[in-house]
């Protein structure tokens, strides 16, 4: 019987991912940070922009003088994450999402639901799924403090999940770069609910690429209980598992590929249901008002999540633009779904790119969106670059085993 075994000759060993790390990159990051500091009306953002701008400029100078990417990256992380985070923790300042998560955890413990029964102003609304309240439990149990701040736990969950999703032995450089990238460094310092979602999506896809259907379902189900933006990761993971199982099982009489994918989907569904349904059924009216009506603009209080992206511009300036934006959103989702059926992803990097593209289109065409959501496709694209094997596809060696 003949089997195929992947070869990894010296010329095909993994090389550092093609991510920018020179003086020009850090100078661009400094310009973005200082621009935010000068334009933003939010105090935490201005603090971050000032500290991060100085850190990026120092990293650019070090890179221009020939210092190693590790040294420049460490300086950038210090200026863009550590210094503003410590200052904001000391003065108890954070982005609104941090306070929303902390309050939702207190409500969950006291009333069994993370949602206020009668929200009035936008600050009263919690548009996240019940699982997000987990990050506020330390503060709800032990009281407010630097070590119980929800942004620390959200950042730790992201960095931990992203690290576990990376190939062993090549984790430090991608982690350092992604932490220093402005789109990630900003929420790490001021607080942001999208980071743990992005990390769990990468981790779930990594597990699916290893054929670990049950574990992938757990990770993706946990992400699905945090925020709806993670839901597209589940069909992508199912397509990856099905394609990988069909390739491995062809002619060997193993269990059908559809059964492997179904196992992942079932575990993801059960995990999300366990984390979401108890709180949702406790007060269905409040759940709908917070999670459905408010994000869709169906309440008297209007969400402040609005950046000049195509969907928002259509909804604001074009007659019937909201309907057109939703139509474009639906067409984009349909095209991505068809691509999964016609040409399923053959590797984890391909799956991550497909998911990043789908989320990018969704963010672009949502009637109410913001630039911060771009952290999802960014993290997935960086992770795909790290996972991608350089050069040509791996060589295959045919070994013949003679059985008596």
């Amino acid at each position: 019987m003949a089997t195929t075994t992947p070869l990894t000759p010296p010329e095909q060993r993994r090389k550092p991912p093609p991510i920018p790390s020179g003086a020009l990159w850090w100078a661009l990051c400094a310009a973005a940070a200082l621009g935010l500091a000068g334009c933003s009306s939010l105090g935490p953002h201005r603090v971050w922009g000032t500290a991060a701008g100085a850190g990026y400029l120092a990293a650019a100078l070090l890179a221009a003088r020939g210092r190693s990417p590790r040294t420049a990256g460490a300086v950038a992380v210090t200026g863009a994450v550590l210094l503003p985070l410590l200052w904001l923790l000391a003065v108890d300042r954070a982005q609104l999402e941090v306070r929303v998560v902390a309050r939702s955890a207190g409500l969950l413990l006291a009333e069994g639901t993370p949602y206020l029964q009668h929200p009035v102003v936008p600050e009263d609304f919690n548009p996240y799924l019940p699982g997000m309240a987990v990050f506020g439990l330390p503060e709800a149990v032990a009281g407010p403090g630097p070590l119980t701040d929800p942004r620390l736990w959200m950042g730790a969950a992201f960095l931990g999940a992203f690290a576990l999703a990376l190939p062993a032995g090549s984790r430090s450089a991608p982690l350092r770069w992604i932490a220093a990238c402005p789109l990630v460094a900003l929420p790490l310092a001021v607080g942001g609910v999208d980071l743990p979602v992005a990390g769990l999506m990468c981790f779930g896809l990594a597990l699916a690429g290893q054929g670990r259907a049950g574990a992938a379902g757990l990770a993706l189900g946990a992400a699905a209980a945090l925020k709806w933006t993670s839901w597209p990761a589940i069909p992508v993971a199912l397509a990856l598992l099905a394609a990988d199982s069909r390739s491995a099982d062809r002619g060997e009489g193993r269990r059908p590929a559809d059964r492997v994918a179904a196992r992942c989907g079932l575990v993801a569904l059960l995990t999300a249901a366990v984390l979401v349904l108890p709180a949702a059924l406790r007060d269905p009216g409040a759940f709908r008002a917070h999670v459905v009506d408010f994000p869709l603009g169906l309440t008297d209080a209007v969400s402040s999540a609005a950046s000049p992206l195509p969907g928002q511009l259509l909804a604001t300036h074009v007659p019937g633009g909201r309907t057109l934006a939703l139509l474009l959103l639906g067409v984009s989702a349909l095209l991505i779904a068809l691509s999964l059926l016609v040409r399923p992803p053959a590797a984890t990097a391909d799956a991550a790119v497909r998911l990043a593209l789908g989320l990018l289109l969704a963010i672009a065409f949502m009637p109410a969106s913001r630039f911060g959501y771009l952290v999802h496709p960014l993290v997935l694209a960086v992770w795909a670059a790290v996972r991608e094997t350089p050069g040509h596809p791996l060589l295959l060696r045919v070994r013949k085993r003679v059985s008596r």
Side-chain angles (χ1 to χ4, degrees):
M1 182 175 64
T3 61
T4 58
T5 304
L7 290 180
T8 55
E11 66 272 17
Q12 291 190 333
R13 290 175 183 171
R14 190 175 300 279
K15 299 177 182 179
I19 50 180
S21 58
L24 178 59
W25 165 250
W26 296 124
L28 291 174
C29 291
L34 294 174
L36 181 65
C39 299
S40 178
S41 61
L42 301 176
H45 286 197
R46 292 197 299 269
V47 170
W48 177 84
T50 303
Y56 290 138
L57 284 176
L61 289 175
L62 290 173
R65 293 181 178 181
R67 296 296 181 91
S68 68
R70 175 180 297 182
T71 301
V75 170
V77 170
T78 300
V81 180
L82 295 180
L83 292 181
L85 174 61
L86 292 175
W87 173 259
L88 292 171
L89 286 173
V91 300
D92 193 23
R93 298 290 300 278
Q95 197 161 257
L96 177 61
E97 286 88 333
V98 176
R99 302 277 64 86
V100 170
V101 171
R103 184 188 66 215
S104 69
L107 289 171
L108 182 63
L109 293 180
E111 302 178 15
T113 175
Y115 307 107
L116 287 171
Q117 191 172 12
H118 301 292
V120 178
V121 296
E123 291 76 12
D124 292 340
F125 284 89
N126 171 18
Y128 316 121
L129 292 171
M132 193 67 72
V134 170
F135 299 109
L137 289 178
E139 181 170 317
V141 173
L147 296 181
T148 60
D149 192 286
R151 85 190 90 174
L152 290 181
W153 299 96
M154 290 188 288
F158 163 70
L159 293 175
F162 189 75
L164 290 174
L166 293 170
S170 58
R171 290 172 174 164
S172 60
L175 269 177
R176 185 170 54 251
W177 189 91
I178 199 68
C181 182
L183 270 177
V184 175
L186 175 62
L188 280 175
V190 306
V193 298
D194 294 298
L195 289 180
V197 178
L200 283 172
M201 284 194 292
C202 291
F203 187 38
L205 289 179
L207 292 170
Q210 297 169 8
R212 300 169 61 183
L218 283 172
L220 295 174
L226 300 179
K227 202 174 180 185
W228 70 266
T229 47
S230 67
W231 293 358
I234 296 177
V236 173
L238 299 185
L240 174 62
L241 278 166
D244 184 65
S245 298
R246 290 191 187 100
S247 177
D249 299 348
R250 188 176 292 120
E252 297 197 13
R254 299 180 185 175
R255 56 186 177 179
D258 292 341
R259 188 178 301 176
V260 178
R263 180 186 176 193
C264 175
L266 180 60
V267 172
L269 179 63
L270 291 176
T271 302
V274 167
L275 295 174
V276 171
L277 286 181
L281 297 177
R282 176 75 173 178
D283 192 341
F287 177 81
R288 176 180 174 179
H290 286 262
V291 178
V292 180
D293 294 346
F294 179 67
L296 292 178
L298 302 178
T299 60
D300 293 334
V302 180
S303 172
S304 60
S307 294
L309 293 166
Q312 194 272 337
L313 293 175
L314 285 173
T316 305
H317 302 290
V318 177
R322 177 177 291 272
T323 302
L324 178 58
L326 292 175
L327 179 62
L328 291 172
L329 182 63
V331 170
S332 301
L334 179 61
L335 290 176
I336 294 296
L338 287 176
S339 77
L340 294 176
L341 293 174
V342 175
R343 189 177 180 182
T348 52
D350 184 17
V353 170
R354 200 82 58 92
L355 178 57
L357 177 60
L359 289 174
L360 185 62
L361 291 172
I363 293 166
F365 294 129
M366 283 191 300
S369 185
R370 61 181 183 179
F371 289 122
Y373 297 161
L374 293 173
V375 71
H376 294 294
L378 168 72
V379 169
L380 286 163
V382 172
W383 182 69
V386 176
R387 298 285 306 188
E388 184 68 35
T389 302
H392 300 289
L394 294 179
L395 300 177
L396 296 179
R397 175 178 60 197
V398 177
R399 295 190 309 174
K400 295 185 177 180
R401 296 182 300 176
V402 179
S403 58
R404 296 182 182 179

